[in-house]
Amino acid sequence: MAGLCHPSGMLKSPTSAVVQSRKLVTTVARTQHADNINSPSKTNVSTEEHTPVPSRIPIGRPPKSMLASRRAREQTPEGKPVTKPPSMGMFPLGYKEAVYQWWNSVTPTIAERNVISCIPYLREAIASSTNSATEVPSAEHPGETETSTKIDPYGPRVWKSTMVTLSGKNRGMNEFSVERVGEPVDDTLVMLHGYGAGLGFYYKNFENLSRSKGWKLYALDWLGMGNSTRPPFRICAKDSEEKITEAENWFIDALEEWRKIRKIEKFTLLGHSLGGYLGVSYALKYPGHLNKLILASPVGIPEDPYAVNADMPEPMDSSFQDEFTVDQQSTTESHSHNGNTRGQQPEANTPKKRPYPSWLVWLWDANVSPFSIIRLAGPLGPRVASGWTSRRFNHLTPDEKQKLHDYAYSIFRQRGSGEYALPYLLAPGAHARRPVINRIHRVGRQVIKPATETEPAVKETGYPIVFMYGENDWMDVAGGLAAEEKLKQTKIQALLHGTEEEKRKENGGAKVIIVSKAGHHLYLDNPDEFNDYVRKELEETRQQTLREKASS
């Protein structure tokens, strides 16, 4: 592969930044040129080999017989080619429609509410005429409710959307909650999204998961993502390990502060992708507050030699403001690569190769956000966003597809913030610089209260950890299976060497679940099956809570 602009792939000076930005402009121009080419063969390559498609559709080049029949259909009886409209290529949305959407785009808050409106049965909590606006909505004072057009067969249940203010300047977490009216809350589920996403992507899960009695559901946007506030993201550390720790803490410290504000002692954490990775980091830094950890297609489980040893951005690059781009086709190449090698273990001592374009690696190492092109595109931003949304949501109804597109665009176009943490946590290819497999055995085994002269140390005695993957997931399920085995061995050692009290309280466990007809976004690809699995986990946790209450 061609070398990088700099041996380390880093931005070292303003002059180099100018030169590199020109190269990026050239890349964008080439992408736009390829987008306008009306060649059937090239279109097949770009849309069928590299573009993310629903998991039920096989990825790869179609058979020759399929191509031959397609060419036959594209010809008239006289053998002349059928006149077709220009190909949209990787960006299906037309230029005029993109400008129209940009001009008439709604605010991020309205876009989120439009997605939430697709949820059946739930009613929104609204302010009472006798209460001040500052009291409602809140977790403690739901106030009056606006009746849904449908009677709730599992309720009544109310939802609220709140910005929870954190300490410091411009720090707040966007929160969505569902509460069962008139029932005591014994357990709490907290749902956390993946990189660059938002809580609205869980809209097909909220109603189903809130059917469980005794539970209150929260979904949060990570600080600096979704509709949470977007303070500048900066890394001050110089050491590589310290950079990773600082990047992780930027997110999980905010989560812990939110927990304290909501006065939640223990909860079940469900994290998707990067949300799962950060969930593990939270469990290790803030022990004693989880009763179950559900990792939905978590990123960063297996170890990768390149990811652990590769360079990462210098501290000054974390707030680099010049906005560049990465095209959707090249972004999905890593997905296809990982998916094709699913379950395969690399040979020992085999050096890890970079299966990615050199310019993609440069963009990653230079801490260039993949959402930058959308902000840079201005009125054409909706067209660029359609390159992902048209394929990610093409299994939904037209109305839901449009609302999800508008919502995704409203998130992607916002000021860059938490997204700049990516190259500190992951190397190109979504391999963790601090792999979860090397620390998963310590989850649920941390010291809660140090020993004193009179009292022994109080330690966690394990809790269930669930790994969930889609049947066609580009995340490697082998990482989850390896983690499961490691956790089971840890439990055996705890039962062999723990105190009698620790053995009595032992609650560790691990399992791997595969959701059929689903890919990386399993919660959206096959929500019914995903919800069924999660509700079973919630019921098991509920029974454990009731047993603990009865024995106390």
Side-chain angles (χ1 to χ4, degrees), residues 445 462-466 484 487-488 491 506-511:
R445 305 292 174 180
Y463 46 76
I465 301 177
V466 182
E484 177 191 28
L487 287 166
K488 290 180 176 179
K491 181 175 181 177
E506 176 60 41
N507 190 38
K511 68 175 71 171

Side-chain angles (χ1 to χ4, degrees), residues 35 82 99 189 209 278 300 313 344 353 474 490 543 552:
D35 186 35
V82 177
V99 174
L189 172 65
L209 298 184
L278 292 173
Q344 298 180 8
K353 297 180 179 180
W474 62 267
T490 301
Q543 295 303 318
S552 61

Side-chain angles (χ1 to χ4, degrees), residues 226-525:
N227 282 336
S228 289
T229 60
R230 300 195 170 219
F233 178 84
R234 294 187 177 91
I235 293 295
C236 301
K238 297 293 185 181
D239 178 74
S240 296
E241 280 296 313
E242 292 177 356
K243 289 179 181 179
I244 300 173
T245 300
E246 190 174 350
E248 291 180 350
N249 290 346
W250 200 83
F251 297 102
I252 63 178
D253 288 352
L255 176 60
E256 173 64 5
E257 186 176 355
W258 170 86
R259 182 196 68 81
K260 291 180 179 178
I261 293 173
R262 286 296 179 231
K263 300 177 182 179
I264 300 171
E265 185 58 32
K266 279 197 170 186
F267 62 95
T268 292
L269 190 155
L270 189 161
H272 172 251
S273 195
L274 183 64
Y277 171 93
L278 292 173
V280 171
S281 301
Y282 174 85
L284 292 171
K285 183 174 182 180
Y286 296 106
H289 299 299
L290 297 185
N291 49 32
K292 179 170 284 188
L293 183 59
I294 303 176
L295 307 176
S297 190
V299 72
I301 300 292
E303 185 173 15
D304 174 74
Y306 167 73
V308 174
N309 300 315
D311 293 330
M312 62 179 67
E314 295 298 325
M316 62 179 178
D317 291 332
S318 63
S319 57
F320 190 66
Q321 297 302 311
D322 291 5
E323 307 270 36
F324 305 126
T325 180
V326 54
D327 65 87
Q328 179 72 8
Q329 177 178 331
S330 295
T331 301
T332 58
E333 285 179 355
S334 62
H335 298 197
S336 300
H337 173 80
N338 288 347
N340 292 337
T341 58
R342 179 177 144 186
Q344 298 180 8
Q345 298 295 328
E347 297 181 5
N349 303 321
T350 301
K352 190 71 176 179
K353 297 180 179 180
R354 286 183 171 183
Y356 316 107
S358 59
W359 63 267
L360 173 60
V361 176
W362 176 85
L363 288 171
W364 193 296
D365 290 342
N367 204 357
V368 174
S369 163
F371 306 111
S372 301
I373 185 175
I374 294 178
R375 295 189 284 265
L376 185 66
L380 298 183
R383 172 173 163 82
V384 179
S386 72
W388 182 75
T389 60
S390 63
R391 297 165 177 85
R392 177 64 263 154
F393 307 130
N394 63 357
H395 63 296
L396 303 175
T397 64
D399 179 62
E400 292 184 9
K401 187 193 311 183
Q402 184 61 49
K403 288 177 178 177
L404 265 293
H405 167 77
D406 294 340
Y407 174 63
Y409 173 60
S410 74
I411 292 175
F412 298 164
R413 70 183 296 190
Q414 293 186 52
R415 174 185 177 183
S417 178
E419 65 198 58
Y420 295 126
L422 186 67
Y424 293 98
L425 304 177
L426 308 176
H431 294 287
R433 300 186 186 278
R434 182 180 286 170
V436 170
I437 191 65
N438 295 337
R439 47 189 177 136
I440 191 65
H441 60 286
R442 295 190 284 115
V443 175
R445 305 292 174 180
Q446 299 296 293
V447 174
I448 302 174
K449 185 178 179 181
T452 63
E453 294 180 358
T454 58
E455 297 288 338
V458 178
K459 296 174 57 179
E460 293 178 302
T461 53
Y463 46 76
I465 301 177
V466 182
F467 299 86
M468 301 182 70
Y469 294 88
E471 178 185 15
N472 304 303
D473 210 320
W474 62 267
M475 288 294 178
D476 193 351
V477 68
L481 294 171
E484 177 191 28
E485 182 60 28
K486 203 166 187 176
L487 287 166
K488 290 180 176 179
Q489 293 299 320
T490 301
K491 181 175 181 177
I492 292 175
Q493 294 301 314
L495 291 173
L496 289 174
H497 305 293
T499 65
E500 291 302 317
E501 180 69 9
E502 290 172 348
K503 292 178 182 179
R504 185 180 66 84
K505 293 183 176 180
E506 176 60 41
N507 190 38
K511 68 175 71 171
V512 176
I513 296 174
I514 305 298
V515 177
S516 65
K517 298 180 180 179
H520 180 54
H521 294 267
L522 59 169
Y523 60 92
L524 189 59
D525 293 336

Side-chain angles (χ1 to χ4, degrees), residues 59-190:
I59 298 176
R61 189 185 299 276
K64 292 184 178 179
S65 58
M66 185 184 299
L67 291 175
S69 61
R70 181 183 301 168
R71 293 191 184 102
R73 290 194 304 268
E74 293 175 350
Q75 292 181 347
T76 63
E78 293 77 15
K80 297 180 179 180
V82 177
T83 302
K84 298 189 300 181
S87 172
M88 289 297 182
M90 63 187 297
F91 302 129
L93 192 65
Y95 293 102
K96 291 183 178 179
E97 180 62 22
V99 174
Y100 177 83
Q101 289 188 11
W102 172 80
W103 182 260
N104 295 281
S105 58
V106 297
T107 65
T109 301
I110 296 300
E112 179 182 287
R113 291 180 64 87
N114 288 341
V115 173
I116 293 174
S117 69
C118 298
I119 305 174
Y121 305 130
L122 305 185
R123 299 177 297 169
E124 180 184 5
I126 59 175
S128 169
S129 58
T130 59
N131 292 337
S132 65
T134 58
E135 291 180 346
V136 181
S138 71
E140 293 77 17
H141 305 287
E144 296 179 349
T145 56
E146 183 181 45
T147 305
S148 172
T149 56
K150 297 181 180 179
I151 298 176
D152 187 351
Y154 307 99
R157 294 168 290 175
V158 295
W159 67 267
K160 295 180 293 293
S161 183
T162 310
M163 180 65 72
V164 181
T165 303
L166 307 179
S167 62
K169 183 178 180 181
N170 192 30
R171 295 180 73 249
M173 296 187 73
N174 184 41
E175 169 196 284
F176 174 85
S177 63
V178 181
E179 185 174 7
R180 302 181 60 83
V181 178
E183 295 183 10
V185 177
D186 298 315
D187 291 287
T188 302
L189 172 65
V190 178

